[in-house]
Amino acid sequence: MNERHDEGPHEHDRGLSYDLPVLARRRMIRLMAGASLIPLMGCTTEEKTPASSAPSSSSASSSSSSSAACAEIPEETAGPFPGDGSNGVNVLKESGVVRSDLTKSFGDSAGGTAEGVPLTITLTVVDAASGCGTPKKSAAVYLWHCDREGNYSLYSEGVTDENYLRGVQETDDKGQVTFKSVFPGCYAGRWPHIHFEVYGSLADATSATSITNTSQLAFPKDVCDTVYATDGYDASVRNLSSLSLETDNIFSDGHALQLATMKGSAEEGYTAALTVPV
């Protein structure tokens, strides 16, 4: 099964009946958060005051509001290629899935390597109820995405025997997980993205139980344009030209909380960072 279908309806959302409840929940979150848009977008945890100044009543009020709850990461579909047991194969129960380098297949797979512009992904999982100020230590993140050609290991034709670009990490004291990967391609019908699931613990993740959040990370257009101008991403140039974040059916109702902060270059590789309030 290949998610890059050019004919017929795309299956990335498992069909309209699956996606409507997910999108409805997202819109409800947006509406409920409308009255407090600044803390929702900023997710800041403290207001810095010069040491020589006594806090004023306004700064005290600001400090108090900074500890208020911020918006959770929007809930999204895992798509038809999760590899978590919800649609066929379950890679999470395989020995070796807990790893930081996702570029190679592991275990009994074919042993292939995903090629492309190097990408390091860092997600910082924080407690939304504390205003995003408290890291979620010892949680776990399962992350997966398509390869340079837009194919998903375990599912897409030609890479069903591979399991690269999938892996699990436990969050550290800062709530962070870091994965070494390659920049994903852009396939027909979807803005370039990365899928991830957050679990309460590593044990939950490796037993594929008790998912707390499922979401997606989006990439800025300027970075996509730069990456897709390099060798091997030819199809991505064509696919991206007919898309935008505003028309993508996942990110169209808002992507501010899911747009990665990027650094680097196509020559040296990129880093993508995202804070994930749960």
Side-chain angles (χ1 to χ4, degrees):
M1 188 189 314
N2 191 322
E3 201 175 9
R4 299 184 304 144
H5 298 303
D6 291 325
E7 62 278 331
H10 297 292
E11 291 185 272
H12 71 271
D13 59 354
R14 300 185 193 165
L16 185 61
S17 62
Y18 176 86
D19 232 17
L20 281 177
V22 173
L23 297 178
R25 286 197 297 273
R26 286 194 62 193
R27 292 188 175 94
M28 181 60 70
I29 290 173
R30 302 285 179 187
L31 290 172
M32 293 175 65
S36 55
L37 188 58
I38 293 176
L40 182 152
M41 300 301 291
C43 244
T44 52
T45 60
E46 62 180 6
E47 296 289 337
K48 295 185 179 179
T49 307
S52 59
S53 303
S56 64
S57 58
S58 61
S59 65
S61 174
S62 177
S63 176
S64 175
S65 65
S66 69
S67 63
C70 66
E72 288 189 8
I73 193 77
E75 190 75 8
E76 305 289 12
T77 175
F81 313 123
D84 61 1
S86 62
N87 186 24
V89 64
N90 190 343
V91 74
L92 295 176
K93 293 186 177 181
E94 294 185 18
S95 176
V97 72
V98 180
R99 61 196 189 131
S100 60
D101 188 344
L102 310 183
T103 58
K104 300 179 185 298
S105 290
F106 64 94
D108 296 329
S109 71
T113 299
E115 303 293 338
V117 171
L119 176 68
T120 299
I121 308 147
T122 298
L123 303 183
T124 303
V125 184
V126 296
D127 181 18
S130 69
C132 298
T134 304
K136 283 282 191 178
K137 178 184 177 182
S138 299
V141 175
Y142 167 44
L143 182 145
W144 73 99
H145 63 84
C146 70
D147 62 19
R148 183 171 61 181
E149 287 73 34
N151 296 318
Y152 283 86
S153 66
L154 302 175
Y155 293 91
S156 299
E157 183 178 355
V159 292
T160 55
D161 291 334
E162 304 288 356
N163 56 20
Y164 53 52
L165 307 183
R166 299 177 183 274
V168 175
Q169 281 281 286
E170 183 178 35
T171 59
D172 61 16
D173 290 347
K174 296 180 180 179
Q176 293 185 337
V177 292
T178 297
F179 298 93
K180 175 185 176 183
S181 192
V182 296
F183 203 94
C186 177
Y187 51 85
R190 276 305 318 276
W191 188 260
H193 62 284
I194 285 177
H195 294 269
F196 60 90
E197 295 171 344
V198 180
Y199 292 79
S201 68
L202 188 61
D204 285 346
T206 53
S207 61
T209 59
S210 303
I211 300 171
T212 63
N213 301 82
T214 303
S215 196
Q216 298 181 24
L217 173 154
F219 292 99
K221 184 180 186 302
D222 61 337
V223 175
C224 293
D225 287 337
T226 300
V227 171
Y228 295 160
T230 65
D231 292 342
Y233 288 97
D234 296 351
S236 294
V237 176
R238 179 180 64 254
N239 293 330
L240 188 69
S241 67
S242 63
L243 297 168
S244 72
L245 279 163
E246 289 70 30
T247 59
D248 180 81
N249 69 349
I250 295 297
F251 300 123
S252 58
D253 62 344
H255 53 265
L257 298 180
Q258 295 160 283
L259 192 63
T261 299
M262 305 291 300
K263 293 182 180 180
S265 67
E267 295 74 24
E268 300 295 331
Y270 282 95
T271 62
L274 184 70
T275 297
V276 181
V278 298

